[in-house]
Amino acid sequence: MSSAVTNPQGIMQPGAYAGIDSRSNSTSVSFVRSGLESNESDEAELVSVSWNQDSCCFAAGTSHGFRIYNCEPFKETFRRELKNGGFKIVEMLFRSNILALVGGGPKSQYPSNKVLIWDDHQSRCISEFAFRSEIRAVKLRRDRIVVVLEHKIYVYNFMDLRLLHQIETQSNPRGLCCLSHHSNTSVLACPGQHRGEIRVEHFGLNMVQTINAHDASIACMTLTLDGLLLATASTKGTLIRIFNTMDGTRLQEVRRGVDRADIYSIALSPNVQWLAVSSDKGTVHIFSLRVRVVGEDSHSTENAALLTQQTYSNSLQGLFSPATGTNPGSSLSFMSGVLPKYFSSEWSFAQFHVSEVTQFFAAFGSQNTVAIIGMDGSFYRCSFDPVNGGEMGQLEYIRFLKTEKGPR
């Protein structure tokens, strides 16, 4: 699989708005900076939603362009409209002016095999990547652009668009890939070449770790911002597992349920204290984590990435606040060596119920809150009790884009 890159003479760092001398004949994209009262915009169909890297914002790809929303407080930050169709992938880079766009949706004239790097300050495409097959995902960090195809992943340097790595994967139609976002760690996780396997690239250490995460194929994964913890789920969708990416050790396993489910999203809180999971069962589950990085400064270098596991027989002091709850388990868990594994499972600590007929994606907000965005154009913000757990309370509900399917 080959790729073609069309780029200007030098890419500025995201957020740097100096002029770029473009010598390319890149794809022409013309956005209208429409007002919020635009009638045409109200008829837009939602094609995709995605969080930015720290989940403070999200992007909505529509049949007419894209829109960017802030979460706390909730507001539409801006929108860009066009007449030639919309985008199935809108990847933000934190809050910078740089976005990655891939065409898709009804009647889109932008190809699904080309990535457009859009500078919203200059209101133009500053570079593009063309491939021979459909692009499944694009991931950005401040120094890398990662393009995910079904069987291969390309890693480019952001400054000069030089190809740095090519990674072969098992069939990856979901475009699974995640990156670390600390400046002093450079970690990429993606499906391996065998079912249930995950490949973790520690580029800074020139090290590859292979993790046999599940028996079934991988359905969803996420990394902590420093890349030292990995959470995964398989297509079975009953168990979520947390791993140390340095040595592949499994640190914790939690149970979403018994029935098979399609996992839509996994999120880890910034303090690595909580995990959120959404699925087609219509419930967002929150789990308490009992893993930690040893030492306050252990994120400062990948060499110091020593992760430990706390068992229920050990004190939780020093890991969590004494006021933090733990995941409930079966009353027969003391017989875990005799009864099936199900009876020793950790179940969710808190829950929030949404519609089962659409996809929802969860992320953590501030002060024990969770934000949830749906493909029906809905936004929820809810809170959970960090001591007692249970049903989460709804703080906010907004329809950010009208669709044919509304919530129940």
Side-chain angles (χ1 to χ4, degrees), residues 223-244:
L223 285 168
T224 48
L225 288 174
D226 59 14
L228 302 183
L229 284 177
L230 171 73
T232 67
S234 75
T235 52
K236 189 175 180 181
T238 54
L239 298 172
I240 294 86
R241 291 171 175 160
I242 298 91
F243 297 91
N244 174 349

Side-chain angles (χ1 to χ4, degrees), residues 350-377:
Q351 307 81 32
F352 185 77
H353 297 282
V354 292
S355 171
E356 296 180 15
V357 299
T358 190
Q359 290 181 304
F360 284 90
F361 307 90
F364 285 93
S366 61
Q367 299 177 346
N368 301 319
T369 62
V370 176
I372 305 165
I373 50 176
M375 284 299 295
D376 61 357

Side-chain angles (χ1 to χ4, degrees), residues 26 63-64 75 108 134 156 163 169 189 207 284:
S26 58
S63 55
H64 294 160
K75 65 177 180 178
S108 177
E134 182 179 353
Y156 298 89
L163 180 62
T169 70
M207 180 183 82
V284 176

Side-chain angles (χ1 to χ4, degrees), residues 3-7 26-27 29 87-91 98-103 110-118 125-140 145-149 154 156 158 161:
S3 64
V5 180
T6 305
N7 64 289
S26 58
T27 300
V29 182
F87 299 103
K88 70 170 186 176
I89 295 174
V90 181
E91 180 74 5
I98 302 297
L99 299 100
L101 307 173
V102 177
Y110 298 98
S112 61
N113 67 331
K114 183 177 288 187
V115 182
L116 308 177
I117 304 300
W118 176 259
C125 175
I126 57 175
S127 61
E128 62 185 44
F129 301 79
F131 300 86
R132 292 180 181 174
S133 63
E134 182 179 353
I135 294 163
R136 302 295 183 174
V138 181
K139 302 296 178 181
L140 301 178
I145 300 172
V146 178
V147 181
V148 184
L149 308 183
Y154 293 87
Y156 298 89
F158 213 128
L161 305 186

Side-chain angles (χ1 to χ4, degrees), residues 27-40:
T27 300
S28 174
V29 182
S30 179
F31 286 110
V32 177
R33 294 176 178 263
S34 61
L36 300 183
E37 70 280 358
S38 169
N39 292 328
E40 181 181 5

Side-chain angles (χ1 to χ4, degrees), residues 229 242 244 249-254 289-294 306-316 319 346:
L229 284 177
I242 298 91
N244 174 349
T249 303
R250 189 171 81 191
L251 303 174
Q252 190 173 352
E253 177 183 276
V254 296
L289 295 182
R290 39 187 185 81
V291 294
R292 66 185 175 101
V293 178
V294 176
L306 176 61
L307 298 171
T308 64
Q309 179 182 22
Q310 296 281 351
T311 63
Y312 282 124
S313 60
N314 294 333
S315 170
L316 294 177
L319 174 62
E346 294 181 49

